[in-house]
Amino acid sequence: MVLLNTWLDVFGVFGIAKNTRVYGEERVSKYLMTFRYLPENFEGIILGPSLSANINPEPIKEIRYFNASLMGARIQTMIPLLENVLASEHQMKRAWVCIHPYMTQSNEKEASQIMTPSAYWTAFGSIHLLRVYGFALIRWMNLAPHKYPSEQYLENGTNKFEPLFRVPDVAAKIEEEKALLHSEDFEITPISEASLKELWRLLEANQIQTTVYFHPVPLPIYEAHKGSFSHYWEQVKSTYSGKSPLITFKNFNRSDFSFFTGDLSNYIDHGHLSEKGQQLLLKELTRE
């Protein structure tokens, strides 16, 4: 079984699989991909929660990005992913970091035991591996297309979850979310603040050209909590005390970007982007 698992190399850990993808167990899968598959095949990385997970960087030709964003990720979840990539002899050149208040609300460490260097042995044989094989079989045989679409994950890590997340009435979902937000949702917890600082330190120390961007919030939500969102972004920026031009901050909730945030066709729910929204944001991210 160990030899078979090594030969299949579903996570690209052993350098055998050159074109692999996530089939399930997203966190352990993407973490294991950071050992070899990601640093050996990509020069750029996208870090963030589900809000950035469906942004497909494939159209960018000058550099290959891997979308390492994770569903439900907090900022502290990004640290072990980045540390593992940086441990490789292959130099990462660029990074995008998606920021949203959701990412900094938790005061838990978040990075579970499956996202530690010892997880390497998971690729030789484990319950996680068996579950991934099960998800792969379901996707290959198209047994549950509405829950586990066969082409949901791309080889560059992008999660094409639009059919799963899209709501019938985007405007109604946005109004619902607008009413749910409270002041405590914009607080940056101590562990999140420390994680932000550590993230900037790692990126700067390894000379990675980084764009930190404030995810575009639908305009009705932003306008209803404008002061809180503005203050939050300033707090995020204040966690970076360096002066390096390597790290830049982009606010996609500024007034001149309202042409995007005010167009609800750019969203599939209260925040996740539609394919149209992804393409527009991609242009902005790659604009000098």
Side-chain angles (χ1 to χ4, degrees), residues 1-18:
M1 282 298 295
V2 169
L3 290 174
L4 176 63
N5 295 335
T6 303
W7 178 70
L8 290 173
D9 196 17
V10 70
F11 306 117
V13 166
F14 310 111
I16 297 172
K18 300 299 182 185

Side-chain angles (χ1 to χ4, degrees), residues 173-239:
K173 183 65 176 177
I174 287 173
E175 288 301 311
E176 179 185 327
E177 179 69 14
K178 183 171 71 173
L180 291 174
L181 282 178
H182 301 288
S183 58
E184 59 267 24
D185 295 319
F186 297 92
E187 294 178 2
I188 299 177
T189 62
I191 195 169
S192 296
E193 182 178 353
S195 296
L196 284 168
K197 291 178 180 179
E198 176 63 7
L199 194 62
W200 312 148
R201 187 194 68 79
L202 287 169
L203 292 163
E204 190 174 45
N206 288 275
Q207 298 292 298
I208 299 174
Q209 189 76 48
T210 302
T211 298
V212 182
Y213 73 93
F214 196 0
H215 178 79
V217 177
L219 191 59
I221 297 177
Y222 185 83
E223 286 295 328
H225 305 277
K226 188 173 182 178
S228 295
F229 275 113
S230 298
H231 179 65
Y232 173 79
W233 180 238
E234 292 304 315
Q235 281 187 298
V236 169
K237 290 195 296 181
S238 71
T239 62

